[in-house]
């Protein structure tokens, strides 16, 4: 599986995850810490830390609020600028980011591809030229026990033919 084409998606990987409600681990700093821990873990890549972007947060908020009735693990919520990472075992926004980072095992830098599973959420998290992020978490209207978490990145990553770092 190759990386998505930029012409199809502004950011091929900006995850959304269905999560169980929790108020812990959903702060701006929690999102930044999870992202930046993953970015700093890439040995020798010198990937800069992400900075919070309230405009991206607002864009993620606006989009998530339009799909709150579609909180279904079988519905593809991909749109320009946002992509889906759905997981029923995710409990907080922090868990959503950690789930995206766990895709690292499928990424092969030598071939710049995902082998054996999805890795494009991970590659967006660590995309070196992405400098800012904004995330949002919202409760689903069709299932009060589920939440959506989404993050947007700027500049967007997962550009076809380019390595993340």
């Amino acid at each position: 599986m190759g990386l998505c084409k930029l012409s199809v998606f502004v950011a091929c990987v900006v995850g959304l995850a269905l999560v169980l409600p929790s108020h812990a681990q959903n702060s701006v700093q929690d999102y930044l810490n999870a992202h930046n821990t993953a970015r700093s873990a890439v040995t020798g890549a010198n990937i800069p830390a992400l900075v919070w972007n309230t405009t991206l947060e607002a864009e993620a908020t606006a989009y998530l609020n339009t799909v709150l009735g579609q909180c279904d693990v079988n519905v593809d919520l991909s749109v320009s600028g946002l992509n889906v990472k759905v997981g029923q075992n995710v409990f907080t926004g922090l868990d959503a980011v950690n789930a995206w980072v766990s895709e690292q095992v499928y990424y092969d830098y030598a071939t710049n591809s995902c082998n054996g599973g999805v890795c494009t959420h991970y590659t967006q998290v660590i995309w070196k030229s992405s400098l800012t992020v904004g995330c949002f978490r919202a409760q689903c209207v069709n299932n009060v026990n589920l939440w959506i978490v989404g993050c947007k990145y700027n500049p967007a990553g997962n550009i076809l033919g380019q390595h993340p770092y």
Side-chain angles (χ1 to χ4, degrees), residues 84-164:
V84 179
K85 170 69 171 127
V86 178
Q88 295 177 309
N89 62 341
V90 179
F91 297 100
T92 67
L94 178 60
D95 289 329
V97 176
N98 289 335
W100 304 329
V101 171
S102 73
E103 296 174 359
Q104 175 185 6
V105 297
Y106 302 116
Y107 180 64
D108 180 356
Y109 186 85
T111 62
N112 197 32
S113 63
C114 303
N115 295 318
V118 173
C119 70
T120 50
H121 302 99
Y122 167 71
T123 54
Q124 175 58 78
V125 168
I126 62 151
W127 199 266
K128 188 173 185 172
S129 63
S130 293
L131 302 175
T132 63
V133 65
C135 303
F136 183 70
R137 178 176 170 267
Q139 190 171 23
C140 303
V141 296
N142 64 343
N143 186 333
V144 295
N145 295 318
L146 295 176
W147 294 71
I148 288 181
V149 175
C151 295
K152 251 188 122 162
Y153 304 83
N154 187 40
N158 287 337
I159 299 169
L160 189 62
Q162 292 185 17
H163 283 77

Side-chain angles (χ1 to χ4, degrees), residues 64-79:
L64 291 181
N65 284 329
T66 68
V67 297
L68 292 179
Q70 299 177 29
C71 293
D72 179 344
V73 297
N74 298 311
V75 174
D76 182 0
L77 300 176
S78 299
V79 297

